[in-house]
Amino acid sequence: MMFQMLFSPITIRQMTLKNRAIMPAMGTKFPKDNQVTQQLIDYHIARVKGGSGLNIVEVTGVHAGSIPSHYLSLAEDRFIPGMQQLTAAIHEHGGKAGVQLWQGSIAVASDPTAQVIVASDMPISPEYTIPGASKELIAELIDCFKEAARRAVEADFDCIEVHLAHNYILHSFLSGGINRRTDEYGGSLENRARFPLAVIEAMRSAMPDTMPLFMRIDAHDDYLENGLTIEEVIQFVKWAKERGVDVVDVSRGNIISSGLKYEVPPIDIPFAFNIENAARIKEETGIITMGVGRVNYPALAEEILAEGKVDLIGIGRAQLSDPEFLNKAKAGKLEDIVYCVGCNQGCYDACERPDIPHITCLRNPACGKEREYQLVPTTEQKKIVVAGGGMAGMEVAMTLQERGFQVILCEASEQLGGQFLLAGMAPRKQEMREAAILKGEQLQRAGVEVRLNTPVTEALLKELNPEIVINAVGAQPLQPKILGIENEQVYNYVDILQNKPQLTGKTIVIGGGLVGLEVAETIAETGGAVTVIEMTDEIAKDLGSTRKITVMEQLYIDNVTTMTDTTCTSITDQGVQVMKDGKEMLLECDHVVVAIGSQSRDFKAIEDYCNAQGLDYYVIGDALEPRRALEATAEGAALARSI
C-alpha cells in the first residue's frame, strides 16, 4: 500500500481512527438558524465516503446570545436532534465525527444581533468601549462550554475539540497580546490561562472517560505585540494535558492583524509552513499532535508522519477541492487528484463576502452542491464542440464527457489552461500552472477529444457537424484608448507574465488590481524600479483579504511604489501623463505596462453561424464576461449539468 503511515490506524482513548487524515473544522455557511441542514450532511458524507479518518464539524457555538445565524449551535438542547442526524449519517458511511466548540469573541460581529464578548476593554470609538467580560459572564461561559460538551455526547459525537485559537474568546484570554486585564484573569501566563483551563476541566467533567478531547491552539501569535510565544504555548499545552486534553491541533493566525494569512493560508504561503512548530510542541509535551497548514499532497503528509513530526494531519481544503482525495491517494491514483491551489476564492473569501451564499471551490464547483450535482448520464448521444481550453472550457468538456456526450474541445493555442496557465507564471503561483496542466491531462484521460492549435471556424463546424457549440474562448488584454499606447516602450500584462522581459530602469504599471500587482512583482524581481498607478481609491481591491496581505507585503519588500486616485491621460517618450487630485503631472519612466483588465474575445461570426444553422449555442467564463476563475469553473459545471 502507498502511504503506509498516512493510512495506518490510531487509537485515542477508546476512539480508533482508520487513518491519520483529519478533515478539520471549517466554516461553511451551510447551517441555517444555527441548525444542521441536509446540505451540511451531504457535504460531510462526500468526504467520509472519500476516505476521511475523522470529520470535525465546524465551529459550534456554546453561548446562545453570541452565535451568528449561519453557525452551528449546541447552546440549547433543541439543537441535539439535528446534530444526531449529522453524526448518524457520518457513522452510517463508516466515518468518525468530532465537533468543535467555540465562542467567537469579536468574530461574531458580522451578525449585528450577536453579542460581542471580549477579554478586556476594547475601545471601538471615542464614545464607546466594549467592556471586558465580567467574572459573572466568565462563570457563565465555563458552564456554557460544559453544557455544550454534554450535548455533544448526547448527539453521539466520537470526540470534541475546544477552540483556543484565532482571536476567539479562549485565545483572547490566553494571549498577552489581546488580554489586558489587571485581575486574576490577566497579567501572568498562569492568570491568563485560568479561564481556558477552567473551561477544559468543565468540558472534561461532562465527557465520558472513553471520549477524546482535542484542543485547537495557535503555535504562537503573529504580528501581535506581547503575543503568545511558543514557549508559553508549550507550557499551556502541558497544563491542558494534565486536565484531560488528549490531542493538540496546532494552528496559526488571528483576525486582528496580518497574521490572518496563516489562518487560511493562501498560495503565497509555503507548504507545511507550520509543521515544525507542531513537531516542537509534540516533542516538548509528549501529547498526540495534529499538524495543519497547506499539506496538499499525500507524499508530503506521508513524509511528515513518517518522520514522527506529528501523529495526525489536518487535510481541509484539499478535501474541498477533491472529496475523493484520500481514496485516490490510497489507490495510488495521484494523477487523478484535483489539487487545492490555495486560491481561497471559494472557501475563505466566501465567508467574507455576503454575495456568496456558502463556501464552494474553484477546483470543485460541486462543493456544497453534492446532492444536486450528482452526475446524470445523458440519454442522447449529442456531439458537442467546446471552443476554448481554459478552466471554463475544460470543466464543461470533462463533465459532459463523464455524462456520456461526444465532446470535442478545440483550443486555438498550443496548450490547454488559458488564463489559469498565465496566472501560474506570476510569482509564487506555480501551483496554478501545474493544476492547469494536470487538468488538461485528466481531461484527455477521461476521453475528451482535444484539438490544439485549432481555432473554431465556420469551416470546422461544417466539418464536425455538432448539435451544440459552447463558447469558452476567454478574454484578451483590454487596450484602452490612451494617446501613445502604441508606443514601442508599452507592454501589456501577457507580454510580461508570459515572456518575462528584463525591464531595467523605471517602469510604470497602469492598473492596481491583482494582475497589475503581479506584473509589478515580476518586474521588481529582476531589479526594476516599479510604480503602480490605480485610478480608484484602493490598490488590490479585487483580492480576498488573505491574498491581499501576502501580495501587499511582497510589494513592500520589493520597494514597489503605489499611487491611488491616479488616472493615466497619455503616454509619451518621457513617461506617463496622469491626473491626480485635479492636477496634471508627468511620471517619468523607461517602460509602461498596461494591466487594467481584460475584454471578452470576439466570437460574433460563430454565434451568427450557430443561430443561422439552428445549433444550440452557449457562452461561459471570460467569453461571457471577464471575472475570476471561480465563476468560470462554476458556469462550466452548471452548464454541463443542464444540457
Side-chain angles (χ1 to χ4, degrees), residues 268-588:
D268 314 82
I269 306 291
F271 294 124
F273 68 96
N274 199 33
I275 292 297
E276 292 306 325
N277 287 326
R280 181 178 168 191
I281 290 168
K282 177 188 171 180
E283 184 180 354
E284 295 195 29
T285 63
I287 199 168
I288 296 170
T289 303
M290 173 173 154
V292 299
R294 300 254 300 138
V295 182
N296 290 6
Y297 295 90
L300 178 58
E302 178 70 14
E303 179 187 330
I304 292 164
L305 290 164
E307 290 175 359
K309 291 181 175 177
V310 298
D311 307 284
L312 303 164
I313 296 275
I315 299 178
R317 289 173 296 168
Q319 291 193 77
L320 298 186
S321 62
D322 193 340
E324 290 289 315
F325 178 93
L326 290 161
N327 283 347
K328 290 174 182 177
K330 192 173 185 180
K333 296 180 177 177
L334 304 187
E335 71 282 359
D336 290 337
I337 294 175
V338 179
Y339 291 99
C340 167
V341 294
C343 71
N344 281 1
Q345 288 184 27
C347 50
Y348 187 79
D349 292 359
C351 291
E352 288 192 325
R353 288 176 54 181
D355 59 317
I356 300 180
H358 55 74
I359 67 162
T360 178
C361 180
L362 182 156
R363 306 294 332 273
N364 173 27
C367 179
K369 297 181 177 179
E370 281 76 13
R371 184 166 293 240
E372 59 265 46
Y373 266 26
Q374 289 181 43
L375 290 184
V376 178
T378 181
T379 54
E380 299 178 85
Q381 285 273 327
K382 290 182 177 178
K383 184 189 282 188
I384 301 174
V385 168
V386 177
M391 295 306 279
M394 289 197 288
E395 183 70 35
V396 75
M398 190 157 179
T399 310
L400 287 167
Q401 183 73 29
E402 288 171 343
R403 288 189 58 208
F405 290 98
Q406 183 187 349
V407 184
I408 303 169
L409 186 147
C410 301
E411 166 56 39
S413 75
E414 62 186 17
Q415 196 171 10
L416 297 173
Q419 295 280 334
F420 216 65
L421 203 62
L422 181 67
M425 300 292 283
R428 303 182 306 282
K429 289 175 73 176
Q430 176 67 20
E431 283 168 79
M432 286 195 175
R433 186 169 183 80
E434 291 167 359
I437 292 167
L438 183 59
K439 179 82 172 178
E441 292 167 358
Q442 291 169 342
L443 184 81
Q444 292 178 77
R445 276 200 304 278
V448 175
E449 182 183 334
V450 174
R451 299 190 181 191
L452 299 175
N453 300 306
T454 307
V456 171
T457 61
E458 287 184 35
L460 182 70
L461 292 179
K462 284 174 185 170
E463 176 200 329
L464 295 176
N465 194 28
E467 287 117 304
I468 300 170
V469 175
I470 298 172
N471 171 7
V473 296
Q476 60 195 17
L478 192 61
Q479 192 82 337
K481 291 183 170 66
I482 297 173
L483 187 67
I485 200 161
E486 304 293 343
N487 290 5
E488 191 180 321
Q489 82 273 28
V490 181
Y491 301 80
N492 66 45
Y493 65 84
V494 176
D495 298 328
I496 304 301
L497 294 177
Q498 202 157 274
N499 305 319
K500 298 196 187 300
Q502 301 281 311
L503 300 187
T504 54
K506 293 181 182 175
T507 300
I508 301 286
V509 176
I510 303 172
L514 171 60
V515 175
L517 300 181
E518 289 179 338
V519 163
E521 269 196 65
T522 302
I523 298 167
E525 275 186 357
T526 59
V530 187
T531 298
V532 177
I533 63 171
E534 167 59 38
M535 64 189 296
T536 71
D537 62 352
E538 187 184 347
I539 293 284
K541 193 176 272 189
D542 56 342
L543 272 76
S545 57
T546 52
R547 285 227 63 223
K548 184 171 182 176
I549 290 166
T550 55
V551 170
M552 296 304 286
E553 283 182 337
Q554 191 60 46
L555 293 177
Y556 176 78
I557 291 166
D558 291 340
N559 291 313
V560 172
T561 302
T562 60
M563 297 173 64
T564 55
D565 298 308
T566 305
T567 303
C568 172
T569 54
S570 66
I571 299 169
T572 69
D573 290 342
Q574 286 74 44
V576 175
Q577 202 75 27
V578 300
M579 283 290 290
K580 181 168 173 62
D581 302 325
K583 295 176 185 168
E584 199 157 345
M585 57 194 289
L586 174 70
L587 303 176
E588 292 184 4

Side-chain angles (χ1 to χ4, degrees), residues 33 173 192 354 477 528 557 571:
D33 300 322
F173 268 80
R192 288 182 273 121
I557 291 166
I571 299 169

